Amino acid sequence: MTEKRTAFVTGASQGLGAEIAVALARDGCDVAVSSRRVEKLAGTLERIAAAGARAVPVELDLRSQPSIERAMAQALSAFGHVDALVNNAAVTLRRPALEVTPQEWDEVMAVNLTGTFFMSQQMGRYLIAAGRAGCLISLASTHGMVGYPQRSTYGISKAGIIQMTRMLAIEWAQHGIRVNAIAPGTVDTPSRAEYFSSHPDARKAMIERIPFRRFGKPGEVAGMVCYLASPQAAYITGQTLVLDGGLTSY
């Protein structure tokens, strides 16, 4: 009997994380999903179950090393193995660089960069010890590749993820572990739609910068995650795949 593929998606209570988790379930994976508050995962768990996959809720605070270790242990206890880790959880910050406080900087870096690194470290340690070839996929951003006003701290954290992807891919290739990232441009998530409903001028200005003249769709990002997690991507590692409608082609 073929062993079923499994995945662990962080920050999966809503938005892109939820879409990614459900897409992986539809693609044949059992999925562990995390949030700081597990009760917020109820909707995602229902959608994964409806897709015919097993869903496991995991409490995870990426600011805490013990929480990271417990989360990985819980996913492994539930499934016996984890084939793919999707580092999706992140916090955003919209603030002029001159106004960013040390506390805001630390919060963004603790979750987006430090937490992602140590979550990846846990996955790498497990895969190497188990002798398994797995994959890690991290959500970066075009803000980590191009400049944009009031996004300095967030963009710096995402640029770090892009370089982290290269570094880990080189170190872990000998173990058959693939490490990649996805850098979406603006994606039509509910939180984004809520912001633009009260900032229509900002929406218009952002769309005018995109050659395709539209934002990305959550399913497009989720589909790329499914591809990178699949055997079809077996020769891809150390890469950041950009989904931005041509924004960074200028």
Side-chain angles (χ1 to χ4, degrees):
M1 182 176 177
T2 304
E3 188 177 63
K4 190 168 185 179
R5 291 189 298 138
T6 61
F8 187 163
V9 182
T10 69
S13 63
Q14 60 184 348
L16 272 181
E19 292 301 320
I20 289 167
V22 173
L24 286 166
R26 291 172 179 158
D27 203 42
C29 293
D30 287 336
V31 189
V33 289
S34 79
S35 175
R36 290 184 190 178
R37 295 168 52 195
V38 291
E39 61 269 21
K40 295 177 66 176
L41 292 164
T44 305
L45 296 173
E46 290 177 4
R47 294 176 66 194
I48 293 172
R54 184 180 175 194
V56 174
V58 177
E59 181 181 319
L60 171 62
D61 184 345
L62 286 171
R63 301 168 299 180
S64 163
Q65 182 67 21
S67 180
I68 289 171
E69 294 173 3
R70 285 194 301 269
M72 181 58 71
Q74 187 175 343
L76 289 171
S77 175
F79 294 143
H81 67 282
V82 176
D83 297 306
L85 169 66
V86 182
N87 289 308
N88 168 76
V91 295
T92 62
L93 181 67
R94 182 188 297 272
R95 187 89 72 239
L98 294 177
E99 298 176 11
V100 175
T101 68
Q103 293 76 20
E104 289 172 331
W105 171 275
D106 288 346
E107 172 72 7
V108 172
M109 295 301 164
V111 176
N112 297 6
L113 192 53
T114 305
T116 295
F117 176 83
F118 285 105
M119 193 70 200
S120 299
Q121 183 189 70
Q122 284 296 306
M123 181 67 168
R125 283 175 173 169
Y126 152 68
L127 290 172
I128 292 169
R132 297 183 68 94
C135 69
L136 293 81
I137 304 160
S138 297
L139 271 290
S141 169
T142 53
H143 285 307
M145 306 174 73
V146 297
Y148 199 80
Q150 300 189 30
R151 291 292 196 278
S152 61
T153 306
Y154 176 77
I156 291 165
S157 74
K158 291 299 186 175
I161 285 178
I162 292 170
Q163 183 63 5
M164 182 194 308
T165 296
R166 299 186 186 103
M167 295 293 193
L168 298 183
I170 293 298
E171 284 201 28
W172 296 346
Q174 63 182 310
H175 303 288
I177 300 169
R178 296 184 297 110
V179 187
N180 292 294
I182 296 173
T186 303
V187 179
D188 254 332
T189 60
S191 61
R192 188 76 68 175
E194 181 180 355
Y195 172 77
F196 284 134
S197 67
S198 56
H199 298 80
D201 290 343
R203 184 181 193 280
K204 182 176 183 293
M206 290 187 75
I207 284 184
E208 287 178 348
R209 297 180 67 212
I210 303 170
F212 270 0
R213 295 297 188 268
R214 71 170 177 86
F215 296 146
K217 301 174 183 177
E220 292 170 332
V221 179
M224 183 58 69
V225 171
C226 289
Y227 170 68
L228 287 175
S230 74
Q232 284 70 38
Y235 201 54
I236 300 175
T237 196
Q239 303 304 306
T240 296
L241 304 187
V242 182
L243 286 78
D244 68 352
L247 174 67
T248 56
S249 296
Y250 283 115

